[in-house]
Amino acid sequence: PKAMSDKLSSTPNFSTKILNEFSVRLNKSRTQLGEVNQQVDALKKEALRLRQELQQALSEKEEAERVQGELMAKYLAAKVQNEDEVERNARQREELGSLKKLKK
């Protein structure tokens, strides 16, 4: 009977020890889970910020490409106009030269 009572009295201590160890591990896991959740939240915020920056950069790129297209069109129009004017001036010089020769 004494051996049986010793066994029974040590069982609650053993169970308490197991429960305490489980509680410590559970709290440690809970703390780690909280830290992981904070990291996930931080990463989500960072991803959102980067997504917004990317969208802004893409918008700026589109605007720059639009402006570049407009400037290219203006450049080509000015170039054609300049070439036409150079040709017209050359013809006028030739005509003027011809008229001067005729006058002599």
Side-chain angles (χ1 to χ4, degrees):
K2 184 169 180 6
M4 183 80 128
S5 96
D6 284 343
K7 210 175 197 183
L8 288 176
S9 65
S10 71
T11 301
N13 288 336
F14 183 72
S15 294
T16 303
K17 183 177 178 183
I18 291 175
L19 286 175
N20 284 339
E21 188 175 319
F22 178 74
S23 177
V24 167
R25 288 183 183 181
L26 183 61
N27 285 334
K28 203 181 281 187
S29 295
R30 189 176 298 147
T31 301
Q32 289 172 343
L33 183 59
E35 291 171 358
V36 168
N37 280 335
Q38 287 176 347
Q39 290 173 351
V40 167
D41 288 342
L43 290 172
K44 283 180 180 179
K45 286 178 185 176
E46 180 72 6
L48 177 62
R49 183 184 66 77
L50 291 173
R51 213 174 294 123
Q52 290 170 340
E53 285 181 15
L54 176 61
Q55 188 59 44
Q56 178 68 27
L58 290 173
S59 295
E60 290 173 6
K61 179 185 174 195
E62 286 177 14
E63 177 65 15
E65 288 173 345
R66 184 189 64 77
V67 169
Q68 182 182 23
E70 289 176 2
L71 291 174
M72 181 60 82
K74 287 179 182 179
Y75 166 76
L76 292 175
K79 182 179 176 187
V80 166
Q81 183 180 3
N82 188 39
E83 289 171 352
D84 290 345
E85 193 171 323
V86 167
E87 287 178 23
R88 187 170 41 85
N89 287 338
R91 277 194 312 272
Q92 286 176 348
R93 274 194 305 273
E94 287 176 14
E95 290 173 3
L96 187 59
S98 296
L99 289 175
K100 283 183 181 180
K101 285 181 185 177
L102 288 175
K103 219 177 182 186
K104 290 183 183 180

